[in-house]
Amino acid sequence: MTYFAEQNSIEAVNGRMSVDAPPRLRRVMAALVRHLHAFIKEVELTQEEWERAIDFLTKTGQMCSAERQEFILLSDVLGVSMLVDAINNRRPAGATENTVLGPFYVAGAPERQMGDNISSDGKGESCLYTGRVIDLQGRPIAGARVDVWSDNAEGFYSVQQPGIQDKWNNRGVFITGSDGKYEFIGIKPVSYPIPNDGPVGQLLRLLGRHPYRPAHMHFMVTAPGYQRLVTHTFVGDDPFLESDAVFGVKASLIAPFERVQDGRTVWRSYYDFVLAPIE
Amino acid sequence: MTYFAEQNSIEAVNGRMSVDAPPRLRRVMAALVRHLHAFIKEVELTQEEWERAIDFLTKTGQMCSAERQEFILLSDVLGVSMLVDAINNRRPAGATENTVLGPFYVAGAPERQMGDNISSDGKGESCLYTGRVIDLQGRPIAGARVDVWSDNAEGFYSVQQPGIQDKWNNRGVFITGSDGKYEFIGIKPVSYPIPNDGPVGQLLRLLGRHPYRPAHMHFMVTAPGYQRLVTHTFVGDDPFLESDAVFGVKASLIAPFERVQDGRTVWRSYYDFVLAPIE
């Protein structure tokens, strides 16, 4: 019998799993243990650092509530959320890229008429969002469901301010017609800090990182026969584009936001969403 | 500017750390991100698995309380606690090996006279624990502090049963004289399951692993000029020796437990503790 030792630690732990455990779980756990032990060995983690890690994880769990998910924030700032999103949404060239869903999506937003204004608090600079939902060949997709949401002019999503903002402020669903076009009025979104009064905020400060996300409008676009697209369009002149705290920016998602002279709105942003078929 | 992508995910995250962050923190976090992303890429973690991981970590944090540390249990069953202990307590040949402290140590146990009985609940089979505290040259160490603790005959430590067990049941401190000898009466300890009614217990069940630790007596031996020794002696005939849920067993720590014919106790266990000097 060989007992656990520094040299055989990975084999000792993984050898304990039952051969009858679910194969995928076995594979994931074996890889987790292998990488986790390799990390500890590489940095020769001290006892005190281990204690700090236990304390950090405990506080992160205890910060979680119905309104706050600190472990998702941790995943976000370590690039894990974006990495999982990237691995699970590899698309053919030409298709619009995914980015993180984020914690502020709310299902069930009201379906609105094309051209409607989703912003009900009268704050911020108005912006006309328009473009088409098309396939890889550039053909319009009819009946696509375009679910949109953004923060308000103070950088808060409606779910962060119940009782202050209307539940559906800066949210709405639009269904495309045969031309594939969408059009709605919202505000030009603003950059905002992710919640940073917990352990994750403390970690960011220790690492010398800021908590800001560049301004963006969220889109979830679905249509039968096509892969679900979850993405944002980013405002091109945002100072945090190159340092998004959660690594959500992709060059292809930076959209033009043009100041308009005598339109219905102060700004106008045109963006086409290209859906990839379900293979 | 290069934005985050699957291919450059590690560099994107680690490149965000300030060069002014504490050097050790930079090194540990950079290695953590590198190994964590490598793990996710290797198994191509699905979105659903990521959600399960977030849920598991959240529940693990929320299970923690003043009496229960579920993240330490997680560290234990993944071999992390033992690995950190091994890395931080490499000793010269001949010195007694360390093993995990465990969650049931209580500082401040009463100092007792050599030969005293630490077991006050009248349960279990009595055992005489005896031996010497010596240096690498076999010379007795005087004034060594031998702090001992074990479960009771039902497999519970006193801290797990406040109001049922006396706080210092099966606990005591003994100070060696010039001969380096220690001697006390306790019980022959019994194997017991680690707490398994939380997320960690659920994980063990999914992996087809049992939650038991083989029977052991805990020792913390300290003396000026020597490295602190935190270890157990294991009962040699325990059925869980080769499958300790927390990987604490080392061959050198398996001690003889001999049945005695007409002594003060039913069992007798002799073990010498060899302390390494502080280098």
Side-chain angles (χ1 to χ4, degrees):
Chain A
M1 172 65 198
T2 310
Y3 292 104
F4 181 101
E6 194 178 330
Q7 293 71 24
N8 72 357
S9 68
I10 295 164
E11 297 74 16
V13 176
N14 286 339
R16 201 65 71 71
M17 285 190 286
S18 165
V19 291
D20 299 324
R24 174 66 182 169
L25 180 69
R26 276 179 62 91
R27 187 178 164 213
V28 171
M29 288 304 297
L32 177 68
V33 167
R34 182 156 31 80
H35 287 283
L36 183 59
H37 284 218
F39 157 67
I40 292 166
K41 289 175 185 188
E42 178 184 325
V43 301
E44 301 215 317
L45 201 72
T46 69
Q47 193 72 33
E48 190 207 348
E49 287 165 346
W50 174 85
E51 284 164 21
R52 285 191 69 178
I54 293 288
D55 183 56
F56 178 85
L57 291 168
T58 303
K59 287 187 170 135
T60 300
Q62 294 182 336
M63 192 88 195
C64 293
S65 67
E67 292 80 35
R68 175 81 171 256
Q69 229 307 346
E70 194 79 357
F71 268 117
I72 292 185
L73 281 184
L74 180 60
S75 167
D76 292 348
V77 304
L78 296 180
V80 166
S81 306
M82 273 302 286
L83 180 57
V84 171
D85 186 74
I87 288 170
N88 288 278
N89 295 285
R90 295 177 187 132
R91 302 236 166 88
T96 302
E97 294 185 282
N98 238 51
T99 189
V100 282
L101 177 66
F104 302 127
Y105 175 67
V106 180
E111 196 180 310
R112 305 186 194 267
Q113 295 299 308
M114 285 298 171
D116 274 1
N117 190 336
I118 61 170
S119 187
S120 61
D121 63 1
K123 293 174 180 168
E125 295 182 319
S126 62
C127 179
L128 180 71
Y129 291 85
T130 182
R132 292 178 307 152
V133 181
I134 54 179
D135 67 13
L136 285 167
Q137 286 72 41
R139 293 174 301 211
I141 297 174
R145 186 182 170 83
V146 182
D147 197 343
V148 306
W149 66 107
S150 79
D151 58 352
N152 74 356
E154 272 118 40
F156 293 105
Y157 290 81
S158 61
V159 283
Q160 293 178 285
Q161 298 190 313
I164 297 173
Q165 289 189 49
D166 177 80
K167 184 176 180 184
W168 302 116
N169 186 30
N170 292 308
R171 294 173 191 272
V173 172
F174 299 86
I175 312 289
T176 59
S178 58
D179 56 3
K181 283 188 183 164
Y182 71 87
E183 183 175 284
F184 66 91
I185 295 171
I187 62 159
K188 185 176 183 242
V190 301
S191 48
Y192 60 86
I194 60 169
N196 58 81
D197 56 341
V200 171
Q202 196 175 20
L203 177 65
L204 288 180
R205 282 186 291 280
L206 282 170
L207 295 174
R209 286 176 50 181
H210 70 71
Y212 281 87
R213 296 215 63 202
H216 56 276
M217 173 64 71
H218 289 265
F219 291 86
M220 182 188 292
V221 185
T222 51
Y226 295 91
Q227 296 174 34
R228 185 178 82 152
L229 172 66
V230 175
T231 199
H232 320 337
T233 57
F234 291 92
V235 181
D237 62 352
D238 195 283
F240 300 111
L241 271 183
E242 299 192 354
S243 62
D244 183 354
V246 311
F247 306 97
V249 181
K250 293 178 178 177
S252 68
L253 301 176
I254 299 172
F257 275 72
E258 297 166 331
R259 196 174 270 278
V260 281
Q261 289 309 325
D262 39 40
R264 286 181 286 161
T265 56
V266 182
W267 296 87
R268 181 174 181 278
S269 181
Y270 187 95
Y271 198 90
D272 284 343
F273 296 99
V274 184
L275 301 192
I278 293 171
E279 56 268 14
Chain B
M1 171 68 199
T2 309
Y3 293 104
F4 182 101
E6 194 178 330
Q7 292 70 25
N8 73 355
S9 69
I10 294 164
E11 297 74 16
V13 176
N14 286 339
R16 201 66 71 72
M17 285 190 287
S18 165
V19 292
D20 298 325
R24 174 66 181 169
L25 180 68
R26 275 179 63 92
R27 187 178 165 214
V28 171
M29 289 303 297
L32 177 67
V33 167
R34 181 158 29 80
H35 287 282
L36 183 58
H37 284 219
F39 157 67
I40 291 166
K41 290 175 184 188
E42 179 184 324
V43 301
E44 301 215 315
L45 200 71
T46 69
Q47 193 72 32
E48 191 207 348
E49 287 165 347
W50 174 85
E51 284 165 20
R52 286 191 68 178
I54 294 289
D55 184 57
F56 178 85
L57 291 168
T58 304
K59 286 186 172 137
T60 301
Q62 294 183 335
M63 191 89 196
C64 293
S65 66
E67 293 80 36
R68 175 80 171 257
Q69 227 309 344
E70 195 78 359
F71 268 116
I72 291 185
L73 280 184
L74 180 61
S75 167
D76 291 350
V77 304
L78 295 180
V80 166
S81 306
M82 273 301 287
L83 180 57
V84 171
D85 186 75
I87 287 170
N88 287 278
N89 295 285
R90 296 179 187 128
R91 302 236 164 87
T96 302
E97 294 185 282
N98 238 53
T99 190
V100 282
L101 176 67
F104 302 126
Y105 174 68
V106 181
E111 197 179 311
R112 305 186 194 266
Q113 295 299 309
M114 285 299 172
D116 274 2
N117 191 336
I118 61 171
S119 188
S120 61
D121 63 1
K123 293 175 180 168
E125 296 182 319
S126 62
C127 179
L128 180 71
Y129 292 85
T130 181
R132 293 178 307 152
V133 180
I134 54 180
D135 67 13
L136 284 168
Q137 286 72 42
R139 293 173 300 212
I141 298 174
R145 187 181 169 83
V146 182
D147 197 342
V148 305
W149 67 105
S150 80
D151 59 351
N152 75 353
E154 273 117 39
F156 293 104
Y157 290 82
S158 61
V159 282
Q160 294 179 283
Q161 297 190 312
I164 298 174
Q165 289 189 49
D166 178 79
K167 184 176 180 183
W168 302 115
N169 187 30
N170 292 306
R171 295 172 189 272
V173 171
F174 299 85
I175 311 290
T176 59
S178 58
D179 57 3
K181 281 189 183 163
Y182 72 88
E183 183 176 284
F184 65 91
I185 294 171
I187 63 159
K188 185 175 182 243
V190 301
S191 47
Y192 61 85
I194 61 169
N196 58 81
D197 57 340
V200 172
Q202 196 175 19
L203 177 65
L204 288 179
R205 282 186 291 280
L206 281 170
L207 295 174
R209 287 175 50 182
H210 70 70
Y212 281 86
R213 295 214 63 204
H216 55 276
M217 174 63 71
H218 290 265
F219 291 87
M220 183 190 292
V221 186
T222 50
Y226 295 91
Q227 295 175 34
R228 185 178 82 153
L229 172 65
V230 175
T231 199
H232 321 336
T233 58
F234 291 92
V235 181
D237 63 353
D238 194 283
F240 300 111
L241 271 183
E242 299 193 353
S243 61
D244 183 355
V246 312
F247 305 96
V249 180
K250 293 179 179 177
S252 68
L253 301 176
I254 299 172
F257 275 72
E258 298 165 332
R259 196 173 269 279
V260 282
Q261 289 308 326
D262 38 41
R264 286 180 286 162
T265 56
V266 182
W267 296 87
R268 180 174 182 279
S269 182
Y270 187 95
Y271 198 90
D272 284 343
F273 295 100
V274 185
L275 301 191
I278 293 171
E279 57 268 12

